[in-house]
Amino acid sequence: MLDSNRLDGKIALVTGAAGAIGAATVRLMIAHGARVVAVDRDREALRRLHDAFAAEPNLSTVEGDVTDEGSVAGFVARARELTGRIDIFFNNAGVEGPVRPIAEYPLEDFRRVLDVNVVGVFLGLKHVIPVMAAGGGGAVINTSSVAGLTGTPGICAYNASKHAVIGLTRSAAAEWGGRGIRVNSINPGPIASRMMTSLEEGLSPGHADQMRAQFSAMIPALRYGEPEEVAALVAFLASEDARYIHGAVFVLDGGFTVS
Ligand SMILES: NC(=O)c1ccc[n+]([C@@H]2O[C@H](COP(=O)([O-])OP(=O)(O)OC[C@H]3O[C@@H](n4cnc5c(N)ncnc54)[C@H](O)[C@@H]3O)[C@@H](O)[C@H]2O)c1
């Protein structure tokens, strides 16, 4: 059972905060006592997140684009201005890209997916970790995917990008472990969300429901995960309970990758 105060007083920066997993994590972190700076490039979605929390004093929303170094430096500086330090970084913004075989995959889309999912994660590490270190340490959680461990036809850019997130996680863990910074990746399987509906639709246009049923049947737990279940793992990895967990890859997939 989770201790509801276990992130008390912690300052968290979350990217992709207006999406399904980001918003569920923002909610859980605040419920556990953290102050959260929520970053997303989607202004409208960020406004809806802000409105959903009404006058929550522990939430600040900041518009930012993880692919743009000036923007990343800007939202990190803004977070520092608002809160003084960063203890937890949920490096989570990501895009799925289109579903196409490699031979037909547009280069422009391949570059766009890598730009958000790899360059974005790198820029987050580059700008947040020194701030974290200056504050005495902290916990970074990078969002990879089961697509970072396996290959799925039609999503080569997403697969490549999520494998790269594991590489960045290990690289950052090796560099910063001795300075009080823990870096781990989470690797969710299919989560009930807009992103999965988009992938289902891409794999079988007009038959997303059938794809979902097929995917669910391939998962030993016989269902997709929920964003709140991902949030619970992130909150644990951010907490003191996870103080010796570092450089690890956390699969959360209802058993999807067991065979
Ligand atoms: N949904 C799933 O089934 C699933 C499974 C495994 C991993 N993931 C990963 O989890 C993370 C969150 O996914 P989600 O399901 O919440 O998707 P989502 O589309 O609901 O949320 C992603 C958020 O990232 C934001 N974003 C995209 N590009 C950005 C940029 N350049 N700068 C700032 N923000 C940007 C979007 O506006 C969106 O709000 C992603 O990295 C995704 O790849 C998702």
Side-chain angles (χ1 to χ4, degrees):
M1 188 66 188
L2 297 178
D3 167 5
S4 65
N5 289 323
R6 66 206 205 125
L7 299 179
D8 240 3
K10 300 278 185 199
I11 311 290
L13 178 66
V14 177
T15 65
I21 291 171
T25 306
V26 168
R27 190 173 295 283
L28 187 63
M29 285 180 168
I30 288 175
H32 285 193
R35 166 138 195 221
V36 180
V37 178
V39 175
D40 206 288
R41 73 169 170 195
D42 183 336
R43 180 179 301 175
E44 274 309 300
L46 207 53
R47 194 184 49 73
R48 285 195 296 276
L49 179 74
H50 179 268
D51 292 350
F53 279 86
E56 171 58 59
N58 283 327
L59 174 68
S60 304
T61 53
V62 179
E63 196 179 327
D65 181 344
V66 300
T67 67
D68 174 339
E69 187 158 18
S71 176
V72 176
F75 68 66
V76 171
R78 180 81 185 117
R80 219 177 169 180
E81 223 173 82
L82 286 165
T83 62
R85 58 175 211 280
I86 300 170
D87 304 309
I88 299 163
F89 179 36
F90 185 31
N91 202 0
N92 169 69
V95 292
E96 68 276 24
V99 179
R100 302 261 191 294
I102 290 175
E104 294 163 25
Y105 206 94
L107 175 60
E108 192 180 306
D109 286 315
F110 193 88
R111 288 202 163 116
R112 180 175 59 85
V113 172
L114 263 67
D115 206 23
V116 179
N117 296 6
V118 184
V119 175
V121 169
F122 155 70
L123 288 174
L125 294 169
K126 177 176 173 182
H127 287 270
V128 172
I129 286 183
V131 174
M132 219 173 230
V140 178
I141 300 101
N142 295 323
T143 306
S144 177
S145 164
V146 291
L149 301 166
T150 59
T152 306
I155 56 167
C156 61
Y158 190 72
N159 272 145
S161 71
K162 293 301 185 179
H163 278 70
V165 171
I166 295 178
L168 281 167
T169 300
R170 290 180 169 143
S171 183
E175 271 186 33
W176 288 88
R179 282 170 277 185
I181 304 214
R182 296 186 295 105
V183 189
N184 293 291
S185 83
I186 56 158
N187 292 62
I191 301 300
S193 61
R194 179 213 63 78
M195 187 176 283
M196 271 314 295
T197 307
S198 150
L199 289 171
E200 290 153 4
E201 185 59 34
L203 287 162
S204 183
H207 302 286
D209 287 351
Q210 281 172 28
M211 280 310 299
R212 179 163 294 212
Q214 271 181 40
F215 272 134
S216 297
M218 290 158 66
I219 301 172
L222 295 176
R223 67 169 176 88
Y224 282 12
E226 295 296 330
E228 292 73 17
E229 292 169 327
V230 182
L233 176 61
V234 177
F236 164 69
L237 289 172
S239 77
E240 274 302 297
D241 289 349
R243 60 190 167 273
Y244 197 59
I245 300 178
H246 181 52
V249 171
F250 276 83
V251 174
L252 171 95
D253 69 348
F256 191 46
T257 49
V258 289
S259 56

